[in-house]
Amino acid sequence: MESKGITCGRIVLASRDHFFVWTEQGEVEATLGGRLRHVKSCLPCVGDWIVLREGNVIVDVLPRRTRISRKEPGRSVREQILAANLDVLFIVSGLDQDYNPRRLERYLVLAKESGTRPVILLNKADLQEDSEVFVRRTKEQARGVPVLAVSALEKRGLGEICRQVGTGETAALVGSSGVGKSSIVNALLNEDRQPIAEVREWDGRGRHRTTQRELFLIPGNWFLIDMPGLRELEPWAAPEQVDDAFADIAELAAGCRFRDCTHRAEPGCAVRNAAGLDQSRLAGYRKLKRELAFLERQSDIRLTRESRKRWKALEKEARRHPKRT
């Protein structure tokens, strides 16, 4: 779309208030227009479709089909949008010291809230003699979610990754630092485009080499966003999304005597009385429920405060400019 100095494009790289945008004329550098610069909730992110005016100034962000968000790190109760207009969310875990079922559960809640199709990639399969043990274990917890054992180092499983994304669709890689997200990007592109670093031997963690979110065109005509590792992950989601990510516990909860059962000490709790239920998984379920319920309450309080501030500003402006009779 192009009309009178106005054109549309898609953000492929974002760094604070500096952006690279794909347009019909090619890639351009762009900056934020005044309104967007001062309204934090309107800031564009990688994957956004935006409107540019003459001079490559971003003046508007078009409605998002989907988005993945977390609570902004720190004390503030605000949404941080990580990427937009995605179809598939690749949740990457390393089959080394990084493998953590509790963290995977959080990423699944993130995916469920966003409306994207989650796919779990168990990278570094070359480090395990029987990676299928981890695949089976993960599938038991993530019902209905594809789980792939891959190795970016050996370029194993790349075809399976590509089959998860349709032509023209957009996917993103999320996971901790050091799980091999950038190595997967390089393997899919068949070139070293993203910098990588070795993980530390003593704790299996990697350093943050990817410092910004960037979108790539993958052979096969689909798009992939590589994102920095997330040190903190508190999904920006509704509490009910936890039940979707913990389908086994939600099914058991349907048999509890009380509808609002917290699965702690209530009589007739079908969850606590279930045989073979992983207690650490139940603890993770409870913790996420508490976090998201608190986040929901705090968000309501924040929205109420902001609404009051807006009304006060309007009232003040009305007093300064009273209607003439």
Side-chain angles (χ1 to χ4, degrees):
M1 181 186 104
E2 185 173 4
S3 176
K4 296 181 180 179
I6 299 294
T7 187
C8 283
R10 193 176 194 193
I11 294 179
V12 296
L13 189 147
S15 179
R16 296 185 180 178
D17 60 349
H18 194 70
F19 304 86
F20 285 86
V21 181
W22 281 346
T23 70
E24 290 183 352
Q25 291 73 40
E27 184 174 290
V28 300
E29 294 186 49
T31 56
L32 288 177
R35 181 179 67 86
L36 294 179
R37 189 183 297 274
H38 298 294
V39 182
K40 194 170 184 179
S41 60
C42 295
L43 288 177
C45 65
V46 170
D48 267 329
W49 290 95
I50 52 89
V51 177
L52 289 166
R53 75 166 185 236
E54 198 169 352
N56 296 332
V57 177
I58 301 172
V59 295
D60 201 5
V61 178
L62 299 180
R64 294 164 172 140
R65 289 189 299 107
T66 60
R67 65 189 187 192
I68 54 172
S69 305
R70 67 171 174 174
K71 174 189 166 295
E72 190 176 88
R75 293 186 177 182
S76 63
V77 183
R78 294 184 182 277
E79 178 185 17
Q80 181 188 27
I81 302 174
L82 303 175
N85 299 311
L86 304 178
D87 301 283
V88 178
L89 187 66
F90 287 122
I91 302 167
V92 187
S93 178
L95 288 184
D96 49 10
Q97 298 180 61
D98 175 79
Y99 184 79
N100 186 326
R102 303 291 78 80
R103 190 185 303 126
L104 287 175
E105 290 161 358
R106 288 178 171 266
Y107 281 113
L108 285 173
V109 172
L110 188 79
K112 295 289 185 182
E113 176 68 24
S114 71
T116 59
R117 304 193 304 272
V119 177
I120 296 175
L121 303 182
L122 301 180
N123 191 29
K124 306 183 184 180
D126 52 285
L127 298 180
Q128 295 293 336
E129 292 184 0
D130 190 0
S131 58
E132 286 303 312
V133 171
F134 289 88
V135 171
R136 289 194 296 271
R137 185 189 306 174
T138 307
K139 282 184 174 180
E140 288 174 2
Q141 294 187 340
R143 292 187 185 179
V145 176
V147 181
L148 309 178
V150 303
S151 170
L153 180 66
E154 297 180 348
K155 297 189 176 182
R156 187 198 313 175
L158 300 184
E160 293 180 83
I161 293 175
C162 293
R163 282 191 284 274
Q164 301 298 320
V165 193
T167 301
E169 289 190 327
T170 301
L173 293 162
V174 294
S176 304
S177 182
V179 297
K181 299 185 298 298
S182 295
S183 296
I184 291 173
V185 172
N186 290 340
L188 288 168
L189 291 171
N190 200 28
E191 59 178 295
D192 293 335
R193 290 278 295 278
Q194 291 290 77
I196 59 175
E198 296 294 327
V199 297
R200 299 189 296 255
E201 291 185 6
W202 62 274
D203 65 354
R205 294 187 177 183
R207 291 174 293 165
H208 284 268
R209 291 303 300 271
T210 301
T211 58
Q212 52 199 5
R213 302 170 185 92
E214 185 171 359
L215 185 147
F216 298 90
L217 175 61
I218 303 297
N221 291 321
W222 57 278
F223 303 93
L224 182 62
I225 298 174
D226 186 17
M227 296 198 290
L230 300 179
R231 290 191 179 93
E232 295 181 36
L233 179 59
E234 189 170 342
W236 187 272
E240 53 266 26
Q241 295 295 354
V242 178
D243 289 334
D244 288 338
F246 291 78
D248 53 338
I249 295 178
E251 287 176 8
L252 290 170
C256 290
R257 181 184 300 179
F258 303 105
R259 183 174 295 180
D260 59 348
C261 184
T262 62
H263 319 306
R264 290 185 175 278
E266 296 90 341
C269 175
V271 174
R272 286 190 301 107
N273 295 331
L277 180 63
D278 184 343
Q279 292 303 302
S280 63
R281 179 167 168 78
L282 177 57
Y285 170 84
R286 290 170 176 160
K287 188 172 188 293
L288 263 171
K289 277 278 193 179
R290 289 196 307 272
E291 285 182 11
L292 296 187
F294 176 78
L295 182 61
E296 187 175 56
R297 291 193 301 271
Q298 292 300 307
S299 297
D300 288 343
I301 292 171
R302 181 179 62 81
L303 290 173
T304 300
R305 287 173 178 168
E306 290 181 352
S307 179
R308 285 174 181 169
K309 286 181 180 179
R310 284 195 298 269
W311 278 110
K312 284 181 180 179
L314 288 172
E315 289 172 359
K316 185 176 180 180
E317 188 67 17
R319 287 195 298 269
R320 288 176 57 191
H321 304 281
K323 290 183 178 180
R324 295 181 181 179
T325 57

